[in-house]
Amino acid sequence: MSKPVVILGAGLSGLSCALHLGQKIGYGLYEKEKTVGGLCRSVSQDGFYFDYTGHLLHLRQDPSAALVRSLLGKNLNHLNRNSCIYSHQTFTRYPFQANTYGLPSKVVKECVLGFLQARLKPRKQSGNFYDWVIANFGSGFGRHFFFGYNEKLWTLPVKYLSSGWVGKYVPRTTVEEVITGALSDQTKKFGYNATFWYPKYKGIQSLSDALAARTGHVNLAESALKINARDKAVLFSSGRVDHYQRLVSTMSLKELLNMIEDLPAAVRKAAGHLRYNSILNINLGVSPTLKNDKHWIYFPEKKYPFYRIGFCSNFSAYNHPRNTSSLYVEIAGRPGQWDGNTGDIERQVKQTVALMRQIGLLERDSKIITVRNFVIEPAYCIYDQKRESSLKVINDYLRTRGIHSIGRYGAWEYSAMQDALNWGERTATSIKEDLC
Ligand SMILES: Cc1cc2nc3c(=O)[nH]c(=O)nc-3n(C[C@H](O)[C@H](O)[C@H](O)COP(=O)(O)OP(=O)(O)OC[C@H]3O[C@@H](n4cnc5c(N)ncnc54)[C@H](O)[C@@H]3O)c2cc1C
C-alpha cells in the first residue's frame, strides 16, 4: 500500500494531524490500542469514569481552544481551580511561593528571608533547576517545596535537572505577593491553570472520541513494528506494509528510533541519553461522598510517596455514581519499576489509603468501593543536561528522512493536550505546503 502520509498513533497529536490534513492528502492513521486517545483516555468501571490520571483542559486562546469548544459543545464544565499544598500538616493555597500563610512561623521566615536574599543578591545561573530555584525563589522555598516536590516528580536530584521546562509551569512571584501571602490568606489567582475546563460526561475520553469522529478512518489495534527509513516503509503487526512520502510519528521518540533499521550510531547513542520516568496512577471510588471540595493537592514531603492527589468527582457531578466520590493518586517511579510488579502496586494502594486516612482526606466512614490502577510509561520526559543536545542530533537525522516526530513523547517534551492539538495542526500545514 502506498500513502502520501502515514500517521502513527491516534492520541490527540495524531488525530489532530489527520483532521488538519483533511481530504486533500491521502493518509493512513494507525493506533496500537483498541481505542483512540492515547493518554487522553478514560475507562468506565462500576459507574465511575477514570482518566489515565487527571486530565484537565487549561485552554490558551489559540485556534485549538476553539476546536476543543466546538468538539465538546455543551459537554464542558468551566471551573475555578481550588488546589493546595499539604506540608507541615497544613494545607496552604497553590502556589506555595505566594502562600505560606498558616505554616509554622519558622518555615514562613525561612521562605520569605530566602526570597528577599535572592532578590538582593542576584546569582549567576548555571542552567540547572537547583540554581534556578535559588536564584528566583531563594533557599527556603527550595527546601520547603521545590526540591522535595520536583525530586519526587522527576525521580532525579534537582541538581541534575535542567530548568528548560519551567516556562509556564512555575508561576513567578513579586516581593509584594510573597509578603502578602505570608501575612494573610491571599486569594489572588496565579498561573496558567487558575481556571480550567473538563467534560461533564464520560471523562476526557469524550474529547478524543469527538475528535476521532471528525477525522477519517482510524486503523485500531495496528502496531508499527519496523521502519525502513531509506525505502520509506512501515511494517505493521498485521503484516501490512505501507510506503509513505512523509511519516508522522506520535509514539515515544525512543520507541520510534528503536524501530528504524540501520539507524546511524550517533543517533542511537543520542537516543540512549533520553531519560524518562513512569507514573503509577491509582484511581479510587469512595462511598459515601467525601466532604473535600479540592480539585487537587500537592505533596512535597518525602514521607508521602505520592506527589499529587486529585478529586475527579469535583470536576463533574456526572463521572461517578450518586453518594460517591472519585479520586486519583500519582506516584512517580523509575522506568520499568512497576512492570508486572502487582505486589508492589498493591502495597502502594494500601499505603496510600492508610496515609490518606491519617491526613484526613479519607473520612472515618469512607469505604473504597472500586480501585483501578494504570501505569503510564513514559510519563515525564526528563529535562537533564543531555536532553537538548541529544534532541538536536536526532531531529537533524529525522528531517533528512522525511519523518516528523511530534507530540509530548514524539518531541520528547513536557507539554499538554492543547500543545498536542497544535503539534498536529502545525505538522499537517507544513506537510500540505510541501506535498501540494
Ligand atoms: C501524569 C500526566 C498528567 C497529565 N495531565 C494533563 C493535564 O491535566 N492537562 C493536559 O492538557 N495535559 C496533561 N498531560 C499531558 C497530555 O496527556 C499529553 O500532552 C497528550 O495527551 C499527548 O498526546 P500525544 O498524542 O502527543 O501522545 P499520546 O497520547 O501518548 O499518543 C500517542 C499514541 O501513539 C500510540 N502508539 C504508541 N506506539 C505505537 C505503535 N508502535 N504503533 C501505533 N501506535 C502507537 C499510543 O498508543 C498512543 O495512542 C498529562 C500527562 C501526564 C503523563
Side-chain angles (χ1 to χ4, degrees):
M1 191 72 95
S2 183
K3 291 262 166 53
V5 183
V6 166
I7 305 171
L8 304 178
L12 292 187
S13 48
L15 288 169
S16 164
C17 183
L19 175 77
H20 290 99
L21 281 174
Q23 309 291 330
K24 262 192 173 171
I25 295 187
Y27 63 82
L29 172 55
Y30 301 93
E31 168 55 51
K32 80 168 173 190
E33 301 291 342
K34 290 184 192 136
T35 45
V36 298
L39 260 190
C40 185
R41 261 189 305 162
S42 321
V43 295
S44 117
Q45 174 172 306
D46 298 330
F48 293 86
Y49 280 93
F50 294 125
D51 297 341
Y52 280 66
T53 196
H55 265 72
L56 314 168
L57 290 154
H58 311 292
L59 299 176
R60 298 183 300 278
Q61 282 320 314
D62 66 27
S64 59
L67 172 64
V68 170
R69 288 201 188 91
S70 84
L71 289 169
L72 290 175
K74 289 194 174 143
N75 184 20
L76 260 184
N77 276 340
H78 189 202
L79 299 125
N80 288 314
R81 177 189 66 209
N82 179 3
S83 70
C84 65
I85 292 106
Y86 184 72
S87 65
H88 302 279
Q89 296 177 31
T90 308
F91 291 97
T92 48
R93 284 181 195 274
Y94 173 87
F96 189 84
Q97 59 271 32
N99 295 295
T100 48
Y101 182 73
L103 287 166
S105 51
K106 187 170 166 278
V107 176
V108 179
K109 183 175 162 190
E110 260 184 68
C111 290
V112 176
L113 260 184
F115 185 82
L116 294 176
Q117 277 159 359
R119 284 296 150 106
L120 292 171
K121 276 195 214 156
R123 286 162 53 114
K124 230 177 138 197
Q125 291 188 45
S126 66
N128 80 41
F129 182 65
Y130 173 89
D131 285 345
W132 185 85
V133 169
I134 297 288
N136 285 279
F137 298 106
S139 56
F141 280 119
R143 183 161 163 236
H144 292 290
F145 181 74
F146 287 106
F147 299 154
Y149 179 76
N150 284 288
E151 290 197 348
K152 257 205 265 187
L153 170 66
W154 297 95
T155 59
L156 199 73
V158 279
K159 283 194 176 163
Y160 292 108
L161 196 59
S162 91
S163 59
W165 57 274
V166 292
K168 68 175 183 180
Y169 292 108
V170 184
R172 312 300 147 79
T173 38
T174 63
V175 171
E176 190 183 347
E177 287 161 348
V178 167
I179 291 178
T180 308
L183 297 174
S184 63
D185 187 18
Q186 177 166 232
T187 53
K188 182 173 177 177
K189 295 285 181 202
F190 290 84
Y192 73 102
N193 59 2
T195 69
F196 63 95
W197 284 260
Y198 188 79
K200 278 186 190 153
Y201 306 104
K202 300 195 173 180
I204 201 65
Q205 179 78 51
S206 53
L207 175 61
S208 303
D209 288 347
L211 182 55
R214 281 208 198 162
T215 62
H217 177 67
V218 184
N219 298 281
L220 294 170
E222 185 75 289
S223 278
L225 296 182
K226 272 202 176 121
I227 295 165
N228 184 326
R230 226 174 260 161
D231 295 347
K232 300 196 166 179
V234 188
L235 167 69
F236 290 94
S237 45
S238 65
R240 152 191 203 135
V241 175
D242 266 23
H243 287 266
Y244 59 82
Q245 291 174 51
R246 289 299 154 85
L247 179 67
V248 178
S249 169
T250 70
M251 2 180 242
S252 126
L253 187 52
K254 270 177 111 73
E255 191 185 351
L256 167 73
L257 295 171
N258 252 331
M259 271 180 207
I260 298 179
E261 295 166 342
D262 300 327
L263 194 69
V267 181
R268 192 172 300 285
K269 189 170 170 207
H273 290 143
L274 299 179
R275 297 174 70 182
Y276 59 93
N277 71 1
S278 70
I279 301 286
L280 170 62
N281 165 220
I282 301 169
N283 297 284
L284 302 176
V286 180
S287 170
T289 307
L290 296 172
K291 294 188 186 84
N292 194 325
D293 63 349
K294 298 279 181 288
H295 291 126
W296 62 89
I297 304 172
Y298 300 95
F299 295 85
E301 291 171 334
K302 280 213 170 83
K303 62 184 169 187
Y304 302 111
F306 34 82
Y307 64 86
R308 185 167 57 185
I309 294 182
F311 296 85
C312 21
S313 43
N314 293 337
F315 305 154
S316 164
Y318 308 102
N319 59 4
H320 56 106
R322 270 175 177 228
N323 303 321
T324 67
S325 292
S326 53
L327 56 98
Y328 59 91
V329 179
E330 294 166 319
I331 303 174
R334 295 180 309 280
Q337 181 161 335
W338 288 289
D339 276 359
N341 202 344
T342 43
D344 190 26
I345 293 177
E346 276 164 25
R347 261 192 307 281
Q348 296 284 1
V349 174
K350 255 190 173 170
Q351 191 187 10
T352 294
V353 169
L355 287 168
M356 287 184 73
R357 290 204 190 277
Q358 200 183 84
I359 298 167
L361 293 173
L362 285 176
E363 291 140 29
R364 262 209 190 148
D365 60 343
S366 302
K367 286 195 185 63
I368 309 296
I369 54 173
T370 195
V371 180
R372 184 72 182 248
N373 303 315
F374 299 120
V375 173
I376 300 171
E377 182 168 327
Y380 285 82
C381 304
I382 290 179
Y383 283 63
D384 62 8
Q385 310 299 336
K386 289 197 171 153
R387 175 184 167 274
E388 226 170 280
S389 54
S390 306
L391 284 180
K392 183 168 179 341
V393 173
I394 294 165
N395 288 327
D396 285 350
Y397 163 75
L398 292 177
R399 219 166 287 126
T400 64
R401 293 287 186 242
I403 300 176
H404 303 254
S405 185
I406 68 164
R408 178 174 169 117
Y409 301 104
W412 206 255
E413 64 181 21
Y414 180 15
S415 58
M417 293 184 280
Q418 190 171 10
D419 302 306
L421 294 171
N422 287 335
W423 261 119
E425 177 171 13
R426 273 203 311 277
T427 307
T429 306
S430 112
I431 291 176
K432 282 197 281 194
E433 278 167 12
D434 281 1
L435 298 187
C436 288

